[in-house]
Amino acid sequence: MTVVERREVALVDLLDRLLAGGVVITGDITLRIADVDLVRIDLNALISSVNAQVPAPWKEST
């Protein structure tokens, strides 16, 4: 085993790394009965931290 394989990462550190780089989540869920689509849900999400280099997409209220 190498040092990298033994390294443990705390959940907080993992979330910090993911938010620093950003995460894109996509997916489709379809509820189907007897080959008839009843409900379809499309999920598209971008999760990222907001800072001076990556500003918020909304205007700040003053």
Side-chain angles (χ1 to χ4, degrees):
M1 284 188 182
T2 65
V3 176
V4 175
E5 291 176 3
R6 294 175 143 190
R7 183 175 173 193
E8 293 183 15
V9 178
L11 181 60
V12 173
D13 293 334
L14 179 62
L15 288 174
D16 185 46
R17 289 181 188 177
L18 289 174
L19 290 176
V23 178
V24 176
I25 301 172
T26 60
D28 298 322
I29 299 173
T30 304
L31 178 61
R32 176 183 288 184
I33 296 177
D35 291 331
V36 176
D37 293 347
L38 299 176
V39 177
R40 181 176 177 192
I41 300 172
D42 294 330
L43 172 67
N44 296 309
L46 170 63
I47 302 172
S48 178
S49 62
V50 176
N51 57 33
Q53 295 174 345
V54 182
W58 57 85
K59 294 182 182 180
E60 293 185 24
S61 60
T62 55

Short mmCIF file of all heavy atoms in Angstrom, two decimals:
data_model
loop_
_atom_site.label_atom_id
_atom_site.label_comp_id
_atom_site.label_asym_id
_atom_site.label_seq_id
_atom_site.Cartn_x
_atom_site.Cartn_y
_atom_site.Cartn_z
N MET A 1 0.83 -1.19 0.00
CA MET A 1 0.00 0.00 0.00
C MET A 1 0.87 1.25 0.00
O MET A 1 1.86 1.31 0.69
CB MET A 1 -0.88 0.06 1.24
CG MET A 1 -2.04 -0.84 1.24
SD MET A 1 -3.07 -0.43 2.66
CE MET A 1 -4.29 -1.64 2.44
N THR A 2 0.44 2.21 -0.77
CA THR A 2 1.17 3.47 -0.78
C THR A 2 0.56 4.41 0.26
O THR A 2 -0.50 4.14 0.83
CB THR A 2 1.08 4.14 -2.16
OG1 THR A 2 -0.27 4.48 -2.42
CG2 THR A 2 1.62 3.23 -3.24
N VAL A 3 1.21 5.52 0.49
CA VAL A 3 0.73 6.49 1.47
C VAL A 3 -0.62 7.05 1.06
O VAL A 3 -1.49 7.28 1.88
CB VAL A 3 1.76 7.63 1.63
CG1 VAL A 3 1.24 8.69 2.58
CG2 VAL A 3 3.08 7.06 2.13
N VAL A 4 -0.84 7.24 -0.24
CA VAL A 4 -2.10 7.79 -0.72
C VAL A 4 -3.26 6.86 -0.42
O VAL A 4 -4.35 7.28 -0.07
CB VAL A 4 -2.01 8.10 -2.23
CG1 VAL A 4 -3.34 8.57 -2.77
CG2 VAL A 4 -0.93 9.13 -2.49
N GLU A 5 -3.07 5.56 -0.54
CA GLU A 5 -4.14 4.60 -0.29
C GLU A 5 -4.53 4.55 1.19
O GLU A 5 -5.66 4.29 1.52
CB GLU A 5 -3.71 3.21 -0.75
CG GLU A 5 -3.59 3.10 -2.25
CD GLU A 5 -3.06 1.73 -2.66
OE1 GLU A 5 -2.83 0.88 -1.78
OE2 GLU A 5 -2.86 1.52 -3.85
N ARG A 6 -3.61 4.84 2.09
CA ARG A 6 -3.87 4.78 3.51
C ARG A 6 -4.47 6.08 4.04
O ARG A 6 -4.95 6.12 5.15
CB ARG A 6 -2.59 4.51 4.28
CG ARG A 6 -2.03 3.17 4.02
CD ARG A 6 -0.72 3.06 4.70
NE ARG A 6 -0.52 1.74 5.25
CZ ARG A 6 0.45 1.43 6.06
NH1 ARG A 6 1.29 2.36 6.45
NH2 ARG A 6 0.57 0.22 6.50
N ARG A 7 -4.41 7.12 3.29
CA ARG A 7 -4.84 8.44 3.76
C ARG A 7 -6.34 8.48 3.98
O ARG A 7 -7.12 8.09 3.11
CB ARG A 7 -4.43 9.50 2.75
CG ARG A 7 -4.76 10.88 3.18
CD ARG A 7 -4.24 11.87 2.19
NE ARG A 7 -4.71 13.18 2.55
CZ ARG A 7 -4.64 14.22 1.78
NH1 ARG A 7 -4.09 14.11 0.60
NH2 ARG A 7 -5.09 15.38 2.17
N GLU A 8 -6.75 8.96 5.15
CA GLU A 8 -8.16 9.12 5.46
C GLU A 8 -8.53 10.59 5.31
O GLU A 8 -7.78 11.46 5.72
CB GLU A 8 -8.45 8.64 6.88
CG GLU A 8 -8.26 7.15 7.06
CD GLU A 8 -8.61 6.69 8.45
OE1 GLU A 8 -9.26 7.46 9.18
OE2 GLU A 8 -8.23 5.58 8.79
N VAL A 9 -9.68 10.86 4.72
CA VAL A 9 -10.12 12.22 4.50
C VAL A 9 -11.41 12.43 5.28
O VAL A 9 -12.34 11.63 5.18
CB VAL A 9 -10.36 12.49 2.99
CG1 VAL A 9 -10.88 13.89 2.77
CG2 VAL A 9 -9.09 12.24 2.21
N ALA A 10 -11.44 13.50 6.07
CA ALA A 10 -12.64 13.82 6.84
C ALA A 10 -13.73 14.33 5.89
O ALA A 10 -13.44 14.87 4.82
CB ALA A 10 -12.32 14.87 7.89
N LEU A 11 -14.97 14.14 6.27
CA LEU A 11 -16.09 14.57 5.45
C LEU A 11 -16.06 16.08 5.21
O LEU A 11 -16.35 16.54 4.11
CB LEU A 11 -17.41 14.17 6.12
CG LEU A 11 -18.68 14.52 5.37
CD1 LEU A 11 -18.69 13.85 4.01
CD2 LEU A 11 -19.89 14.13 6.17
N VAL A 12 -15.65 16.84 6.20
CA VAL A 12 -15.56 18.30 6.05
C VAL A 12 -14.53 18.66 4.99
O VAL A 12 -14.75 19.55 4.16
CB VAL A 12 -15.22 18.96 7.40
CG1 VAL A 12 -14.97 20.44 7.24
CG2 VAL A 12 -16.32 18.71 8.41
N ASP A 13 -13.39 17.99 5.00
CA ASP A 13 -12.36 18.25 3.99
C ASP A 13 -12.84 17.88 2.60
O ASP A 13 -12.58 18.59 1.63
CB ASP A 13 -11.08 17.48 4.32
CG ASP A 13 -10.41 17.96 5.59
OD1 ASP A 13 -10.60 19.15 5.93
OD2 ASP A 13 -9.70 17.16 6.22
N LEU A 14 -13.56 16.78 2.48
CA LEU A 14 -14.09 16.36 1.19
C LEU A 14 -15.09 17.37 0.66
O LEU A 14 -15.04 17.77 -0.51
CB LEU A 14 -14.74 14.98 1.31
CG LEU A 14 -15.35 14.41 0.04
CD1 LEU A 14 -14.29 14.21 -1.03
CD2 LEU A 14 -16.06 13.11 0.34
N LEU A 15 -16.01 17.84 1.51
CA LEU A 15 -16.98 18.86 1.10
C LEU A 15 -16.29 20.16 0.71
O LEU A 15 -16.69 20.82 -0.25
CB LEU A 15 -18.00 19.10 2.21
CG LEU A 15 -19.01 17.99 2.43
CD1 LEU A 15 -19.87 18.30 3.64
CD2 LEU A 15 -19.87 17.79 1.20
N ASP A 16 -15.25 20.53 1.44
CA ASP A 16 -14.51 21.75 1.11
C ASP A 16 -13.87 21.64 -0.27
O ASP A 16 -13.93 22.58 -1.06
CB ASP A 16 -13.45 22.01 2.17
CG ASP A 16 -12.72 23.31 1.95
OD1 ASP A 16 -13.40 24.34 1.69
OD2 ASP A 16 -11.47 23.32 2.02
N ARG A 17 -13.30 20.51 -0.59
CA ARG A 17 -12.68 20.31 -1.91
C ARG A 17 -13.72 20.33 -3.02
O ARG A 17 -13.52 20.91 -4.08
CB ARG A 17 -11.93 18.99 -1.95
CG ARG A 17 -10.67 18.99 -1.14
CD ARG A 17 -9.97 17.66 -1.27
NE ARG A 17 -8.86 17.57 -0.35
CZ ARG A 17 -8.12 16.50 -0.22
NH1 ARG A 17 -8.36 15.43 -0.95
NH2 ARG A 17 -7.12 16.48 0.63
N LEU A 18 -14.87 19.67 -2.77
CA LEU A 18 -15.92 19.63 -3.79
C LEU A 18 -16.50 21.02 -4.04
O LEU A 18 -16.71 21.41 -5.19
CB LEU A 18 -17.03 18.67 -3.37
CG LEU A 18 -16.68 17.20 -3.40
CD1 LEU A 18 -17.82 16.37 -2.82
CD2 LEU A 18 -16.35 16.73 -4.80
N LEU A 19 -16.76 21.77 -2.99
CA LEU A 19 -17.33 23.10 -3.16
C LEU A 19 -16.34 24.08 -3.78
O LEU A 19 -16.72 24.99 -4.50
CB LEU A 19 -17.84 23.64 -1.82
CG LEU A 19 -19.08 22.95 -1.28
CD1 LEU A 19 -19.42 23.51 0.09
CD2 LEU A 19 -20.24 23.08 -2.23
N ALA A 20 -15.06 23.91 -3.50
CA ALA A 20 -14.04 24.79 -4.09
C ALA A 20 -14.00 24.62 -5.60
O ALA A 20 -13.85 25.60 -6.34
CB ALA A 20 -12.68 24.51 -3.48
N GLY A 21 -14.15 23.41 -6.09
CA GLY A 21 -14.11 23.16 -7.52
C GLY A 21 -15.48 23.17 -8.17
O GLY A 21 -15.62 23.43 -9.35
N GLY A 22 -16.51 22.90 -7.40
CA GLY A 22 -17.86 22.84 -7.93
C GLY A 22 -18.25 21.42 -8.27
O GLY A 22 -17.42 20.59 -8.61
N VAL A 23 -19.53 21.13 -8.16
CA VAL A 23 -20.06 19.81 -8.44
C VAL A 23 -21.29 19.97 -9.32
O VAL A 23 -22.13 20.83 -9.06
CB VAL A 23 -20.46 19.08 -7.13
CG1 VAL A 23 -21.05 17.73 -7.42
CG2 VAL A 23 -19.28 18.95 -6.20
N VAL A 24 -21.41 19.15 -10.35
CA VAL A 24 -22.59 19.14 -11.20
C VAL A 24 -23.30 17.82 -10.99
O VAL A 24 -22.69 16.75 -11.10
CB VAL A 24 -22.22 19.32 -12.69
CG1 VAL A 24 -23.44 19.21 -13.56
CG2 VAL A 24 -21.51 20.64 -12.91
N ILE A 25 -24.60 17.89 -10.69
CA ILE A 25 -25.40 16.69 -10.47
C ILE A 25 -26.50 16.68 -11.52
O ILE A 25 -27.22 17.67 -11.67
CB ILE A 25 -26.03 16.69 -9.07
CG1 ILE A 25 -24.94 16.75 -8.00
CG2 ILE A 25 -26.91 15.47 -8.88
CD1 ILE A 25 -25.47 16.95 -6.61
N THR A 26 -26.61 15.59 -12.25
CA THR A 26 -27.69 15.44 -13.24
C THR A 26 -28.32 14.07 -13.08
O THR A 26 -27.65 13.11 -12.67
CB THR A 26 -27.18 15.59 -14.68
OG1 THR A 26 -26.21 14.59 -14.94
CG2 THR A 26 -26.58 16.95 -14.93
N GLY A 27 -29.60 13.98 -13.40
CA GLY A 27 -30.26 12.69 -13.32
C GLY A 27 -31.68 12.76 -13.83
O GLY A 27 -32.26 13.83 -13.97
N ASP A 28 -32.25 11.61 -14.12
CA ASP A 28 -33.63 11.48 -14.57
C ASP A 28 -34.29 10.37 -13.76
O ASP A 28 -33.71 9.30 -13.56
CB ASP A 28 -33.70 11.09 -16.05
CG ASP A 28 -33.10 12.14 -16.96
OD1 ASP A 28 -33.27 13.33 -16.68
OD2 ASP A 28 -32.46 11.75 -17.95
N ILE A 29 -35.52 10.64 -13.33
CA ILE A 29 -36.31 9.63 -12.63
C ILE A 29 -37.65 9.54 -13.34
O ILE A 29 -38.30 10.55 -13.59
CB ILE A 29 -36.53 10.01 -11.16
CG1 ILE A 29 -35.20 10.11 -10.42
CG2 ILE A 29 -37.45 9.01 -10.47
CD1 ILE A 29 -35.30 10.63 -9.02
N THR A 30 -38.06 8.34 -13.68
CA THR A 30 -39.34 8.13 -14.34
C THR A 30 -40.12 7.07 -13.59
O THR A 30 -39.62 5.97 -13.36
CB THR A 30 -39.16 7.67 -15.80
OG1 THR A 30 -38.36 8.63 -16.49
CG2 THR A 30 -40.49 7.54 -16.51
N LEU A 31 -41.36 7.42 -13.19
CA LEU A 31 -42.26 6.46 -12.57
C LEU A 31 -43.17 5.91 -13.64
O LEU A 31 -43.90 6.64 -14.29
CB LEU A 31 -43.09 7.14 -11.47
CG LEU A 31 -44.11 6.26 -10.76
CD1 LEU A 31 -43.43 5.10 -10.06
CD2 LEU A 31 -44.91 7.08 -9.78
N ARG A 32 -43.09 4.60 -13.87
CA ARG A 32 -43.80 3.97 -14.98
C ARG A 32 -44.59 2.77 -14.47
O ARG A 32 -44.09 1.96 -13.71
CB ARG A 32 -42.78 3.51 -16.01
CG ARG A 32 -43.35 2.76 -17.17
CD ARG A 32 -42.27 2.28 -18.09
NE ARG A 32 -41.72 3.44 -18.79
CZ ARG A 32 -40.81 3.35 -19.73
NH1 ARG A 32 -40.30 2.20 -20.07
NH2 ARG A 32 -40.38 4.45 -20.33
N ILE A 33 -45.84 2.69 -14.87
CA ILE A 33 -46.69 1.54 -14.54
C ILE A 33 -47.29 1.02 -15.84
O ILE A 33 -47.88 1.79 -16.61
CB ILE A 33 -47.81 1.93 -13.56
CG1 ILE A 33 -47.20 2.37 -12.23
CG2 ILE A 33 -48.76 0.76 -13.32
CD1 ILE A 33 -48.19 2.85 -11.20
N ALA A 34 -47.10 -0.26 -16.10
CA ALA A 34 -47.63 -0.92 -17.30
C ALA A 34 -47.20 -0.20 -18.57
O ALA A 34 -47.99 0.06 -19.46
CB ALA A 34 -49.15 -1.04 -17.23
N ASP A 35 -45.91 0.13 -18.64
CA ASP A 35 -45.31 0.82 -19.79
C ASP A 35 -45.95 2.17 -20.09
O ASP A 35 -45.95 2.63 -21.22
CB ASP A 35 -45.35 -0.06 -21.03
CG ASP A 35 -44.40 -1.24 -20.90
OD1 ASP A 35 -43.39 -1.09 -20.19
OD2 ASP A 35 -44.66 -2.28 -21.53
N VAL A 36 -46.52 2.81 -19.07
CA VAL A 36 -47.08 4.16 -19.22
C VAL A 36 -46.33 5.07 -18.25
O VAL A 36 -46.33 4.84 -17.04
CB VAL A 36 -48.60 4.18 -18.89
CG1 VAL A 36 -49.13 5.60 -18.95
CG2 VAL A 36 -49.36 3.26 -19.83
N ASP A 37 -45.67 6.10 -18.80
CA ASP A 37 -44.94 7.05 -17.97
C ASP A 37 -45.93 7.93 -17.22
O ASP A 37 -46.75 8.63 -17.82
CB ASP A 37 -44.03 7.93 -18.81
CG ASP A 37 -42.89 7.15 -19.43
OD1 ASP A 37 -42.66 6.00 -19.01
OD2 ASP A 37 -42.21 7.69 -20.32
N LEU A 38 -45.88 7.88 -15.89
CA LEU A 38 -46.78 8.68 -15.07
C LEU A 38 -46.11 9.97 -14.58
O LEU A 38 -46.71 11.03 -14.62
CB LEU A 38 -47.28 7.88 -13.88
CG LEU A 38 -48.07 6.62 -14.22
CD1 LEU A 38 -48.41 5.87 -12.94
CD2 LEU A 38 -49.33 6.98 -14.98
N VAL A 39 -44.88 9.86 -14.11
CA VAL A 39 -44.16 11.01 -13.57
C VAL A 39 -42.73 10.96 -14.08
O VAL A 39 -42.09 9.92 -14.06
CB VAL A 39 -44.15 10.98 -12.02
CG1 VAL A 39 -43.34 12.14 -11.47
CG2 VAL A 39 -45.56 10.99 -11.47
N ARG A 40 -42.23 12.12 -14.53
CA ARG A 40 -40.84 12.21 -14.95
C ARG A 40 -40.22 13.43 -14.28
O ARG A 40 -40.77 14.53 -14.33
CB ARG A 40 -40.72 12.36 -16.45
CG ARG A 40 -39.28 12.43 -16.90
CD ARG A 40 -39.14 12.48 -18.37
NE ARG A 40 -37.73 12.61 -18.71
CZ ARG A 40 -37.29 12.90 -19.90
NH1 ARG A 40 -38.14 13.07 -20.89
NH2 ARG A 40 -36.02 13.01 -20.13
N ILE A 41 -39.08 13.21 -13.64
CA ILE A 41 -38.38 14.29 -12.94
C ILE A 41 -36.98 14.38 -13.53
O ILE A 41 -36.25 13.38 -13.58
CB ILE A 41 -38.29 14.01 -11.43
CG1 ILE A 41 -39.69 13.90 -10.84
CG2 ILE A 41 -37.49 15.09 -10.74
CD1 ILE A 41 -39.71 13.45 -9.40
N ASP A 42 -36.61 15.57 -14.00
CA ASP A 42 -35.25 15.83 -14.49
C ASP A 42 -34.54 16.68 -13.45
O ASP A 42 -35.09 17.69 -13.00
CB ASP A 42 -35.28 16.57 -15.82
CG ASP A 42 -35.87 15.74 -16.94
OD1 ASP A 42 -35.74 14.51 -16.89
OD2 ASP A 42 -36.45 16.33 -17.86
N LEU A 43 -33.33 16.29 -13.09
CA LEU A 43 -32.56 17.00 -12.08
C LEU A 43 -31.28 17.52 -12.72
O LEU A 43 -30.51 16.75 -13.29
CB LEU A 43 -32.21 16.08 -10.91
CG LEU A 43 -31.25 16.64 -9.87
CD1 LEU A 43 -31.92 17.79 -9.13
CD2 LEU A 43 -30.83 15.56 -8.90
N ASN A 44 -31.07 18.82 -12.63
CA ASN A 44 -29.82 19.46 -13.05
C ASN A 44 -29.45 20.44 -11.96
O ASN A 44 -30.20 21.39 -11.69
CB ASN A 44 -29.98 20.20 -14.37
CG ASN A 44 -30.30 19.28 -15.51
OD1 ASN A 44 -29.61 18.29 -15.70
ND2 ASN A 44 -31.34 19.57 -16.25
N ALA A 45 -28.31 20.22 -11.30
CA ALA A 45 -27.91 21.09 -10.20
C ALA A 45 -26.42 21.38 -10.29
O ALA A 45 -25.62 20.52 -10.64
CB ALA A 45 -28.24 20.44 -8.87
N LEU A 46 -26.07 22.61 -9.97
CA LEU A 46 -24.67 23.03 -9.86
C LEU A 46 -24.47 23.51 -8.44
O LEU A 46 -25.17 24.43 -7.99
CB LEU A 46 -24.34 24.15 -10.85
CG LEU A 46 -22.99 24.82 -10.67
CD1 LEU A 46 -21.86 23.83 -10.90
CD2 LEU A 46 -22.85 26.00 -11.60
N ILE A 47 -23.55 22.88 -7.73
CA ILE A 47 -23.26 23.25 -6.35
C ILE A 47 -21.83 23.76 -6.32
O ILE A 47 -20.90 23.07 -6.71
CB ILE A 47 -23.43 22.04 -5.42
CG1 ILE A 47 -24.85 21.50 -5.54
CG2 ILE A 47 -23.09 22.41 -3.99
CD1 ILE A 47 -25.06 20.20 -4.81
N SER A 48 -21.68 25.00 -5.85
CA SER A 48 -20.36 25.61 -5.82
C SER A 48 -20.32 26.67 -4.73
O SER A 48 -21.35 27.21 -4.33
CB SER A 48 -20.05 26.26 -7.17
OG SER A 48 -18.81 26.90 -7.14
N SER A 49 -19.14 26.97 -4.25
CA SER A 49 -18.99 28.04 -3.29
C SER A 49 -18.98 29.38 -4.02
O SER A 49 -18.72 29.45 -5.21
CB SER A 49 -17.70 27.87 -2.49
OG SER A 49 -16.59 27.93 -3.35
N VAL A 50 -19.29 30.44 -3.30
CA VAL A 50 -19.32 31.78 -3.87
C VAL A 50 -18.25 32.61 -3.16
O VAL A 50 -18.22 32.67 -1.94
CB VAL A 50 -20.71 32.43 -3.69
CG1 VAL A 50 -20.72 33.85 -4.20
CG2 VAL A 50 -21.77 31.60 -4.38
N ASN A 51 -17.36 33.23 -3.94
CA ASN A 51 -16.35 34.11 -3.36
C ASN A 51 -16.06 35.25 -4.34
O ASN A 51 -16.81 35.42 -5.31
CB ASN A 51 -15.07 33.32 -3.02
CG ASN A 51 -14.49 32.61 -4.22
OD1 ASN A 51 -14.57 33.08 -5.34
ND2 ASN A 51 -13.90 31.44 -3.98
N ALA A 52 -15.01 36.00 -4.12
CA ALA A 52 -14.71 37.15 -4.97
C ALA A 52 -14.38 36.73 -6.40
O ALA A 52 -14.70 37.43 -7.36
CB ALA A 52 -13.56 37.95 -4.38
N GLN A 53 -13.75 35.58 -6.57
CA GLN A 53 -13.39 35.11 -7.91
C GLN A 53 -14.59 34.50 -8.63
O GLN A 53 -14.67 34.53 -9.84
CB GLN A 53 -12.26 34.08 -7.83
CG GLN A 53 -10.98 34.68 -7.31
CD GLN A 53 -9.92 33.63 -7.10
OE1 GLN A 53 -10.21 32.43 -7.08
NE2 GLN A 53 -8.68 34.06 -6.92
N VAL A 54 -15.52 33.92 -7.88
CA VAL A 54 -16.73 33.33 -8.45
C VAL A 54 -17.92 34.02 -7.78
O VAL A 54 -18.41 33.57 -6.75
CB VAL A 54 -16.80 31.80 -8.19
CG1 VAL A 54 -18.03 31.20 -8.82
CG2 VAL A 54 -15.54 31.12 -8.67
N PRO A 55 -18.39 35.13 -8.33
CA PRO A 55 -19.46 35.89 -7.67
C PRO A 55 -20.80 35.17 -7.75
O PRO A 55 -21.00 34.27 -8.56
CB PRO A 55 -19.49 37.20 -8.46
CG PRO A 55 -18.95 36.85 -9.80
CD PRO A 55 -17.94 35.75 -9.56
N ALA A 56 -21.71 35.58 -6.90
CA ALA A 56 -23.06 35.02 -6.88
C ALA A 56 -23.79 35.43 -8.15
O ALA A 56 -23.58 36.53 -8.67
CB ALA A 56 -23.81 35.53 -5.66
N PRO A 57 -24.68 34.59 -8.68
CA PRO A 57 -25.40 34.92 -9.91
C PRO A 57 -26.54 35.91 -9.70
O PRO A 57 -27.13 36.38 -10.65
CB PRO A 57 -25.94 33.57 -10.38
CG PRO A 57 -26.01 32.75 -9.15
CD PRO A 57 -24.91 33.23 -8.25
N TRP A 58 -26.84 36.25 -8.46
CA TRP A 58 -27.91 37.21 -8.18
C TRP A 58 -27.32 38.51 -7.66
O TRP A 58 -26.21 38.55 -7.15
CB TRP A 58 -28.88 36.61 -7.16
CG TRP A 58 -28.20 36.20 -5.88
CD1 TRP A 58 -27.92 36.98 -4.82
CD2 TRP A 58 -27.66 34.91 -5.58
NE1 TRP A 58 -27.26 36.27 -3.87
CE2 TRP A 58 -27.09 34.99 -4.29
CE3 TRP A 58 -27.62 33.70 -6.26
CZ2 TRP A 58 -26.48 33.91 -3.68
CZ3 TRP A 58 -27.00 32.63 -5.64
CH2 TRP A 58 -26.46 32.74 -4.38
N LYS A 59 -28.07 39.59 -7.79
CA LYS A 59 -27.61 40.89 -7.33
C LYS A 59 -27.77 40.98 -5.82
O LYS A 59 -28.74 40.49 -5.25
CB LYS A 59 -28.42 42.01 -7.99
CG LYS A 59 -28.20 42.09 -9.47
CD LYS A 59 -28.99 43.24 -10.04
CE LYS A 59 -28.82 43.32 -11.54
NZ LYS A 59 -29.58 44.41 -12.13
N GLU A 60 -26.79 41.62 -5.19
CA GLU A 60 -26.87 41.81 -3.75
C GLU A 60 -27.81 42.95 -3.43
O GLU A 60 -27.78 43.99 -4.06
CB GLU A 60 -25.48 42.10 -3.17
CG GLU A 60 -24.54 40.93 -3.26
CD GLU A 60 -23.22 41.23 -2.57
OE1 GLU A 60 -23.19 42.09 -1.68
OE2 GLU A 60 -22.23 40.59 -2.93
N SER A 61 -28.68 42.74 -2.44
CA SER A 61 -29.58 43.80 -2.03
C SER A 61 -28.90 44.67 -0.99
O SER A 61 -28.19 44.18 -0.11
CB SER A 61 -30.88 43.21 -1.48
OG SER A 61 -30.57 42.40 -0.36
N THR A 62 -29.10 45.98 -1.10
CA THR A 62 -28.46 46.90 -0.15
C THR A 62 -29.46 47.59 0.71
O THR A 62 -30.61 47.62 0.49
CB THR A 62 -27.65 47.97 -0.89
OG1 THR A 62 -28.49 48.63 -1.82
CG2 THR A 62 -26.48 47.35 -1.58
#
